[in-house]
Amino acid sequence: MKRTILAAVSTAALLSSSAAYAGPEAEVLHWWTSGGEAKSVAVLQQEFADNGGTWTDMPVAGGGGDAAMTALRARVLSGNAPTAVQLKGPAIQEWYEEGVLADISAVAEAEGWADVLPASIAGHMKCEDIWCAAPVNVHRVDWIWANAQVLADNDIDMPTTWDEFNAAAQKLQAAGVIPLAHGGQAWQDATVFETVVLGLGGPDFYQQALVDLDPAALTSDTMVQVFDQMRTLRGFVDPNFSGRDWNLATAMVMNGEAAFQIMGDWAKGEFLAAGKTPGQDFLCASTPGDGFLYNVDSFAMFAVDGDDKQAGQQLLAKLIVGPSFQKVFNLNKGSIPARVDVALDEFDQCAHLSAKEMTSSSEGGSLLPSYAHGMALRGAQSGAITDVVTAHFNSDMSSADAVQMLADAVANSY
Ligand code: BGC
């Protein structure tokens, strides 16, 4: 008798769950809200819809994702995690350790991700021995963007050393042009800072200081010079920079109000979305010095109940790493595909430079994770560094005090 009831109950449950199944659905938390970013994420929304999915958008404005991560924590703490979240670097493993991520190994294995992703990228997508995130792209952080006409009018070439950058900036300032478009938000200060660490210190120093957090590197003379250069850069920024969004800084370069911006290649997505042509309207070059700072966007799926949601997660993960999405999305986003087998013929010269230098720096041991974009360190450590960088940039703190504060903040962050 008992067995019959149980069988009846489970048949009814099956019927009702299959009757209720409405197809794959996903609630997607991301911070892609600027012009170029919105155009890029629309590519994924469209592919998801074309494959029968229903997308609920949860955009959280704020470059670099700080606000998105605050929103995520609130949702998870209230027991209502979004199904898919833009998440990257060690934060993926931090969330996995909290027991809230879904295992997407079945999709990864069926789609052969291990064969099409470079090992350095695949490593970020693994939690212990399972796949726990799907990579979207490779952004490069250490770029300078310039208005081609402004440089030509002032007889300036793209700088290849920080001294050249400073000399060009002084000349521009004398001519009444804002040398450096910058948004005064902590993550933007950190973005500039890490390119200066790489450029002045070199790849080994970057590794020691911002990946290994070696106290000797953090308090070195080289780090003092880095803060000196940050102070010099502060002098090239206009007085209204405080709180400005990064894409508004890009717009200043676009319209000729400013000459340069130091920003990852999501800035290229803004130029492209505005119809600008690289090499003609705007120029790209790596910031002075060797090396390549990478920033891989990825999505992690949070453990949720419901066939619709789980089907949505599987579909989303599959599409994200699929070759057609990787091409179209990255053409818009300014980045290059994470997959190694996507042809770059339709990509522009900046993307080609990125791909070439990613390969050469990987071979030369100078392919390095961006600390400012959450690829190198856990949140407590990267947050401690950024607090010091931004406190220095926004005050008259000496470089000597900044390095001491940096070493102390890192030591106290564990
Ligand atoms: C992300 C990019 C994004 C940028 C500005 C970075 O951390 O990786 O995808 O465009 O922040 O919001």
Side-chain angles (χ1 to χ4, degrees):
M1 181 63 187
K2 203 173 165 198
R3 272 175 74 174
T4 323
I5 293 173
L6 267 183
V9 168
S10 59
T11 309
L14 255 180
L15 281 175
S16 76
S17 82
S18 65
Y21 180 72
E25 60 176 55
E27 187 194 8
V28 187
L29 191 160
H30 62 87
W31 66 89
W32 288 330
T33 55
S34 74
E37 291 174 335
K39 225 174 142 187
S40 311
V41 75
V43 174
L44 186 55
Q45 290 171 347
Q46 189 60 49
E47 267 208 50
F48 195 62
D50 290 348
N51 285 275
T54 306
W55 174 294
T56 304
D57 206 28
M58 195 189 166
V60 181
D66 295 341
M69 292 302 100
T70 306
L72 172 63
R73 185 150 289 278
R75 286 285 302 266
V76 176
L77 285 177
S78 68
N80 177 28
T83 50
V85 177
Q86 184 185 353
L87 199 65
K88 51 189 178 153
I92 300 169
Q93 285 74 31
E94 288 185 88
W95 279 108
Y96 175 77
E97 286 159 17
E98 299 204 22
V100 290
L101 291 195
D103 178 353
I104 53 172
S105 303
V107 186
E109 276 150 28
E111 298 293 312
W113 290 2
D115 302 328
V116 293
L117 298 176
S120 52
I121 294 182
H124 285 289
M125 307 300 138
K126 296 271 188 73
C127 295
E128 297 178 327
D129 54 352
I130 65 157
W131 290 85
C132 51
V136 171
N137 61 6
V138 181
H139 269 306
R140 182 180 196 175
V141 179
D142 48 319
W143 285 111
I144 303 185
W145 308 94
N147 181 305
Q149 191 64 52
V150 169
L151 292 205
D153 288 349
N154 290 281
D155 202 14
I156 286 171
D157 292 330
M158 269 310 235
T160 58
T161 64
W162 286 104
D163 284 346
E164 278 177 26
F165 182 90
N166 296 343
Q170 277 157 9
K171 193 170 176 189
L172 288 158
Q173 211 157 30
V177 179
I178 298 168
L180 183 61
H182 183 64
Q185 294 172 342
W187 73 272
Q188 295 188 58
D189 300 338
T191 300
V192 173
F193 172 77
E194 68 177 8
T195 71
V196 177
V197 171
L198 179 68
L200 288 182
D204 289 346
F205 179 76
Y206 181 96
Q207 170 77 32
Q208 288 154 13
L210 296 183
V211 182
D212 302 340
L213 302 180
D214 173 1
L218 293 175
T219 53
S220 62
D221 289 347
T222 306
M223 195 56 93
V224 172
Q225 286 164 27
V226 168
F227 280 104
D228 288 348
Q229 177 63 21
M230 290 301 286
R231 178 66 66 237
T232 302
L233 291 176
R234 173 69 183 80
F236 298 145
V237 170
D238 68 298
N240 301 321
F241 79 109
S242 195
R244 176 188 290 143
D245 286 328
W246 66 272
N247 52 318
L248 300 182
T250 310
M252 290 168 68
V253 177
M254 251 184 247
N255 65 28
E257 201 185 331
F260 298 115
Q261 183 183 19
I262 297 170
M263 186 48 67
D265 43 20
W266 45 94
K268 193 184 73 184
E270 294 305 296
F271 284 108
L272 299 179
K276 306 288 182 194
T277 308
Q280 204 174 303
D281 303 313
F282 69 96
L283 307 175
C284 61
S286 57
T287 49
D290 295 334
F292 185 113
L293 298 182
Y294 70 86
N295 168 25
V296 175
D297 281 312
S298 47
F299 279 86
M301 309 300 159
F302 277 65
V304 287
D305 291 331
D307 295 347
D308 316 54
K309 290 179 176 173
Q310 289 172 1
Q313 293 178 322
Q314 308 282 316
L315 177 59
L316 204 55
K318 178 179 159 184
L319 294 177
I320 284 172
V321 187
S324 83
F325 168 75
Q326 291 255 326
K327 179 173 133 191
V328 184
F329 175 88
N330 286 304
L331 279 170
N332 286 291
K333 188 71 173 66
S335 35
I336 55 174
R339 286 178 79 107
V340 292
D341 61 347
V342 176
L344 295 180
D345 326 10
E346 290 172 50
F347 284 74
D348 60 41
Q349 59 195 64
C350 308
H352 282 271
L353 182 65
S354 183
K356 184 173 139 238
E357 296 194 354
M358 184 172 156
T359 306
S360 59
S361 59
S362 173
E363 287 162 3
S366 59
L367 178 63
L368 293 157
S370 159
Y371 117 78
H373 290 275
M375 297 304 299
L377 302 170
R378 291 191 164 234
Q381 281 71 51
S382 62
I385 296 174
T386 299
D387 286 350
V388 176
V389 169
T390 204
H392 168 268
F393 199 71
N394 290 290
S395 70
D396 59 1
M397 187 190 298
S398 72
S399 300
D401 286 350
V403 295
Q404 195 50 55
M405 202 188 229
L406 185 66
D408 292 347
V410 168
N412 292 331
S413 69
Y414 293 99

